[in-house]
Amino acid sequence: MFKNYGCRFSPPGWAENLNVKTNRHNPLRGVFKSISTLTVVMLFLFGGQDVFSQIIIESGSTEANFGVDADVQANESRYIYVGGILQTPPETVGANTDDWFENANIAGNGVGIIDITGGNPVVGPNPAFTVGMAEDPFFIDGNGKMWLDALYLRDPNSAGNNKDFSVFQGNSNKNADNPGTWNIVNSSTPQKNDIIDVFAHLRRDGNTFGDDLYAFVGASTRSGDGSAYLDIEFYREDLVYDPGATDLTNLGPDGGHTAWEFDGSGDVTQLGDAIVSLDFENGGAVINGHIYIWVRPADLPGNSIIAANAILNGNADAKFTFVIGGNGQPIFESGNGTNGFGYAEIELKDQNAPPIAFASINADPVLAGPWQTVTGSQGATSPDYPDFTLVEFGINLSEIGLDQSTVADSECGPLFGGVIVKTRSSASFTSELKDLAGPFPFGNVQEVTVTIDGEDLECNATSVTLTANTNVQFGLEYEWYEWINGAWVLIPNEDGSTLEVSTAGNYKVIVTAPGIGGPGTGCSSEDEYEVIEVIPPVIVVDCPADEEITACLSQAAIDQALSDWFADFTYSGGQGNLDAVYEVGGQVIDINTYTLPTFTPCTGGSITVTLTVTDECEQEETCSSTFSVAGDDEAPTLVGTVPSGQTDMNLCFADIPAG
């Protein structure tokens, strides 16, 4: 859960033009960094046991097409090192790398991953806000990389009379403590420890869940003196902090954290909390990095860290082991309120493996993002990050075993819960904590979900198509089943997102994201759908019997008989809406406006009406009926006396007088 940072902008898209300037850099700084980094790498390769515990061995890199180069602009790679040797000038434009923001003045195919379409979020003299990712989770970019989560956070500053609502007070706040014992207050902190900007991003180095998972984090402070001590802490729980309170809530059950768990053979059965501790000294000439995981030694295989190491070394699938210090003892720190739990340092099991973590600090000013930054003792707004104030870090979580996909048969869940970025007073892991940014949700992305859309077999249809709709669009496996004789039976050769069904029954789809299950832990999601065969009712059309008026009726009687006959045309049944068509003499009529003909008693006449009815299933029924009036074509017979003066008797009289 986010700290109350004022506002949050939803993803969808990024701006194409930013009116920002590029910044040239001092090439001598880059050469100095290359030499010093080479020294660090050589120490790693040839040093003693303590040196091997340092995870960070590369100073700046491009990983999964994202620049870990101590700047925030896409398409600009500042520090590209291989084995500590500078490969390019300190500033390379057109590198086609992604980064936090896109600069319209720098050409390339790389993009910014932070959403800048929501307007300017900077409100007030000491703003605090968060901005999300420029795309929805599981987005596949033009370079085939899957974006999972991203966030930019502006933390309030404590320059001048300003106060930051989340700083550590007192000397009792340490990394290895139960976070519930920390004293977090609304106060101030030294400017070199005052966090201003935080960046975080998760992506896969490809478009499937089996590709390596990378985490990238950046942070800036108000000023720098050439040294920086930073912690990035990953929690399984979604921590909560309300400004004005002094305690974090929604903590884990194991001394305020969630502990890592292993089975007897050393396989991880539950991922827990982890912390990356970064130390930049002498302007980044010395970069130390350490990774710790939260455990209780007595709960580990063999009931101790040293015994667990022996088991992990014998496990071919284990990616890390615990660090043993120069005194032969594990590097393990426990603090207040932890009940025996604490942070144990880990290192790659394969000491000769390629680097999996990278870090960089800006040795000279670099351009800030579209919302600028805050610097100096007075908290001035600045378009640039001053020297040694911006740190970037990237790590291959899959290679160190911090990816959920490394946990076999575990419960489906998110990659992480919440993240906190902290500053420390010195390089010691147990030194006093100073400022805090967060907690913010990171990698708390929902697992794969699926629902089936379909239709019934209606109107005597021969088949319908069922469609599995998922929240993930790539890298999924599908299995379709039919319920037969009380059991689900796999339908062979149906491994796509749709299924054509020709018989009524119950169907099920199981969708799995290989390796992590979405981006959880190798789990699956399923849904069921019942296809019903709908047999449409027959159409019933009723036409009146043919009617012939033979008697010489009055005009009123004939008209009434015709009207009654016409009203007896009816229809019913069928599927859905019915369409009734009336025809007279081959011409379609509108029964609501049609005027019946007039048949006189003398001339007679007839009308034939045909009724055709169709339904939504294209069933059709027809009937016809005829109404006729026989004309008076018989000469009248005079009975009685011919009227005086009448000579033409071949007439039709409506009323022949008697007499």
Side-chain angles (χ1 to χ4, degrees), residues 43-77:
L43 286 172
F44 177 83
L45 293 175
F46 303 110
Q49 178 68 50
D50 289 340
V51 176
F52 278 121
S53 68
Q54 297 175 4
I55 295 292
I56 311 303
I57 59 171
E58 283 289 328
S59 178
S61 182
T62 296
E63 300 296 320
N65 202 51
F66 193 92
V68 185
D69 52 359
D71 79 357
V72 299
Q73 307 296 330
N75 299 308
E76 177 185 57
S77 292

Side-chain angles (χ1 to χ4, degrees), residues 261-304:
E261 296 180 1
F262 302 78
D263 63 17
S265 62
D267 289 328
V268 176
T269 58
Q270 174 181 285
L271 269 69
D273 296 351
I275 188 171
V276 176
S277 179
L278 301 174
D279 304 326
F280 298 84
E281 297 186 296
N282 298 332
V286 178
I287 304 176
N288 293 332
H290 307 264
I291 297 179
Y292 302 80
I293 65 173
W294 191 259
V295 297
R296 181 158 57 186
D299 297 338
L300 294 174
N303 306 118
S304 73

Side-chain angles (χ1 to χ4, degrees), residues 18 86 148 169 238 332 354 387 413 522 552 602 626 648:
L18 290 175
L86 185 66
L148 296 174
Q169 185 177 70
D238 189 359
F332 175 77
D387 297 6
C552 190
C602 293
T626 300
D648 186 0

Side-chain angles (χ1 to χ4, degrees), residues 377-631:
S377 61
Q378 299 304 310
T381 300
S382 172
D384 295 315
Y385 291 108
D387 297 6
F388 310 122
T389 61
L390 178 64
V391 169
E392 278 194 306
F393 167 75
I395 184 170
N396 185 327
L397 296 172
S398 299
E399 288 302 314
I400 192 62
L402 301 182
D403 183 351
Q404 278 283 75
S405 63
T406 63
V407 182
D409 301 323
S410 66
E411 181 181 356
C412 302
L415 293 170
F416 298 108
V419 171
I420 291 178
V421 176
K422 309 188 299 290
T423 52
R424 281 175 282 116
S425 59
S426 73
S428 172
F429 181 71
T430 59
S431 62
E432 177 187 353
L433 299 177
K434 306 300 288 185
D435 193 15
L436 174 150
F440 53 87
F442 184 57
N444 196 0
V445 187
Q446 63 179 332
E447 65 204 38
V448 63
T449 59
V450 62
T451 57
I452 298 177
D453 284 343
E455 298 178 345
D456 294 327
L457 285 164
E458 295 183 324
C459 304
N460 299 313
T462 58
S463 67
V464 294
T465 299
L466 304 183
T467 301
N469 296 314
T470 63
N471 62 330
V472 182
Q473 302 303 317
F474 297 89
L476 298 179
E477 296 177 351
Y478 296 85
E479 292 179 327
W480 290 92
Y481 295 81
E482 183 178 6
W483 184 258
I484 300 176
N485 297 327
W488 289 110
V489 178
L490 178 67
I491 303 174
N493 303 319
E494 294 291 348
D495 54 5
S497 61
T498 61
L499 175 70
E500 186 174 355
V501 173
S502 58
T503 58
N506 291 293
Y507 295 87
K508 178 174 73 172
V509 65
I510 297 178
V511 179
T512 304
I516 110 171
T521 55
C523 64
S524 299
S525 180
E526 63 183 64
D527 192 30
E528 300 176 14
Y529 192 90
E530 182 180 6
V531 176
I532 299 173
E533 184 177 7
V534 179
I535 301 175
V538 298
I539 299 174
V540 178
V541 291
D542 286 321
C543 291
D546 292 344
E547 185 170 351
E548 183 178 6
I549 304 299
T550 58
C552 190
L553 300 180
S554 66
Q555 186 67 54
I558 294 174
D559 292 345
Q560 184 61 50
L562 177 58
S563 177
D564 293 342
W565 170 84
F566 192 69
D568 283 342
F569 285 85
T570 62
Y571 55 89
S572 62
Q575 179 68 29
N577 295 323
L578 302 181
D579 182 25
V581 176
Y582 293 82
E583 292 179 274
V584 174
Q587 299 296 316
V588 176
I589 65 170
D590 183 346
I591 62 169
N592 296 313
T593 60
Y594 181 69
T595 301
L596 290 169
T598 300
F599 301 126
T600 67
C602 293
T603 60
S606 67
I607 178 174
T608 298
V609 175
T610 300
L611 170 61
T612 302
V613 179
T614 57
D615 67 2
E616 293 179 354
C617 293
E618 299 182 358
Q619 295 184 109
E620 181 178 287
E621 293 293 334
T622 300
C623 66
S624 295
S625 182
T626 300
F627 181 93
S628 61
V629 176

